[in-house]
Amino acid sequence: MQQFLSLLWIMLPLFVGFFIRLHKPQQLKLIEIAVNYSVYLILTVMGIGLAQMDNLGGNILRIMAYAGLFLGGTLAVNMLVMGWFDRRFPWKNHTPQDAPESRLRAFAGSLKQVGVVVLGVLIGYVLPRSWQMPEQTVSYLLMVLLLLIGIQLRSSGIALRTVLINRRGVQTALVFVLATLSGGWLAGSLLGLPASQSLALSSGFGWYSLSGSVMTQAYGAFWGAVALMNDLGRELFALICIPALMRRHPSLAVSIGGATALDFTLPVIHRSGGVNAVPLAISFSFIINLLAPILMVFFAGSSF
């Protein structure tokens, strides 16, 4: 219960941010810049924490293997279930030609985030071994990030009513969540993990900065790194596969990136799916961005 309350306290700024609405373009631009720098700072700090982990060299292969298993399990079930959903309930959408250079630019942006984590690891190796990062550093940074994201979502002009009346977006979000949690539970079962931990690790839905931080707080740096790599891997996979999936499986294409459909993968969705795919992506990802922190806190604070 104490762990659940601690995680809930960390998530509080997200909901506080929903009550703050900015209107001036300059203010919104500053919030966007602050969000980007906050993400990079959190990734750097997480890298430093990884460097200070005992026997990092011996654990890195395990981290990659576990993250690969979770990524493979969740993506496999996602593609099977969402592919069935598109065939069973087809959604007609005009699909224009994709712009490959834009996809490459987005892919490079994801690799930059991986590079920031590596930079953090290198900084951690340079720092004296006697120096230890303050225990609550990641928590405080995460609270700042969530406050900024809450303000950003509230100020984006997206009315909750508009999101919820997009029937296809709501359906896609619910099917995606169930499929992802099922895939994560299967992956965790193969590793012998408790169901609650398996579900917590798979509840990031591509929101790597949040999942890595929350799982670090809940289960330690090792599992934080697993969650981070799992969700970063989802983003990279989505950037590559969205254009190929959009024509025949639009709901799968929009959902494959999870929470990133509201930011990193939205330009690729727009270019490959056209303007008609944007409302679906916004509705879907807005719901996912609301559910991800709630589900992560619930499962990480549970024991079953």
Side-chain angles (χ1 to χ4, degrees):
M1 177 59 71
Q2 183 60 41
Q3 184 185 60
F4 178 78
L5 293 176
S6 298
L7 291 170
L8 191 62
W9 176 254
I10 291 173
M11 296 299 156
L12 182 62
L14 176 67
F15 302 102
V16 172
F18 275 111
F19 291 94
I20 304 173
R21 184 170 186 176
L22 305 177
H23 299 280
K24 296 182 179 179
Q26 300 92 331
Q27 294 174 327
L28 297 175
K29 185 64 177 178
L30 287 175
I31 291 293
E32 182 182 352
I33 294 172
V35 167
N36 290 334
Y37 277 104
S38 297
V39 168
Y40 288 136
L41 186 56
I42 287 176
L43 293 177
T44 303
V45 170
M46 289 182 64
I48 295 173
L50 280 175
Q52 295 177 336
M53 184 194 306
D54 292 335
N55 190 26
L56 174 61
N59 282 319
I60 192 66
L61 291 179
R62 286 180 60 224
I63 291 173
M64 294 177 64
Y66 287 11
L69 182 59
F70 270 95
L71 179 62
T74 53
L75 284 178
V77 177
N78 277 165
M79 296 186 75
L80 286 173
V81 174
M82 296 306 301
W84 167 85
F85 178 70
D86 274 320
R87 291 191 300 272
R88 181 67 178 81
F89 305 99
W91 182 65
K92 301 300 182 182
N93 182 44
H94 170 66
T95 306
Q97 184 65 34
D98 178 44
E101 67 279 1
S102 300
R103 198 183 347 160
L104 290 174
R105 192 180 303 118
F107 189 78
S110 297
L111 291 180
K112 185 191 299 183
Q113 292 144 21
V114 177
V116 171
V117 178
V118 174
L119 175 63
V121 172
L122 296 176
I123 293 174
Y125 274 123
V126 173
L127 291 171
R129 300 301 296 177
S130 58
W131 182 85
Q132 292 294 319
M133 196 184 331
E135 185 176 350
Q136 298 299 319
T137 301
V138 174
S139 297
Y140 294 142
L141 291 174
L142 180 59
M143 292 173 78
V144 171
L145 174 63
L146 290 174
L147 175 64
L148 294 171
I149 289 175
I151 296 173
Q152 193 176 48
L153 290 174
R154 180 68 179 87
S155 304
S156 62
I158 303 171
L160 188 59
R161 183 177 64 87
T162 303
V163 171
L164 295 179
I165 63 175
N166 188 313
R167 183 179 177 185
R168 186 70 176 197
V170 174
Q171 290 174 335
T172 301
L174 294 178
V175 174
F176 169 82
V177 167
L178 292 174
T180 302
L181 294 180
S182 299
W185 175 77
L186 288 173
S189 298
L190 294 176
L191 295 173
L193 298 178
S196 55
Q197 184 175 352
S198 302
L199 295 173
L201 287 164
S202 55
S203 295
F205 305 133
W207 193 346
Y208 55 84
S209 56
L210 178 64
S211 63
S213 302
V214 174
M215 294 305 104
T216 297
Q217 294 296 311
Y219 303 115
F222 178 89
W223 292 108
V226 170
L228 173 68
M229 294 184 67
N230 170 39
D231 286 320
L232 266 175
R234 173 179 285 277
E235 181 179 298
L236 294 172
F237 181 86
L239 291 171
I240 295 170
C241 295
I242 285 172
L245 295 171
M246 183 63 75
R247 185 177 295 276
R248 293 188 177 182
H249 303 286
S251 298
L252 171 59
V254 167
S255 67
I256 199 69
T260 66
L262 197 60
D263 42 61
F264 286 108
T265 58
L266 185 59
V268 182
I269 291 171
H270 178 235
R271 288 181 176 87
S272 57
V275 68
N276 292 333
V278 173
L280 170 60
I282 291 175
S283 175
F284 162 80
S285 56
F286 193 90
I287 294 170
I288 295 301
N289 275 275
L290 289 177
L291 289 179
I294 295 172
L295 292 177
M296 267 189 284
V297 169
F298 173 74
F299 289 129
S302 304
S303 180
F304 57 86

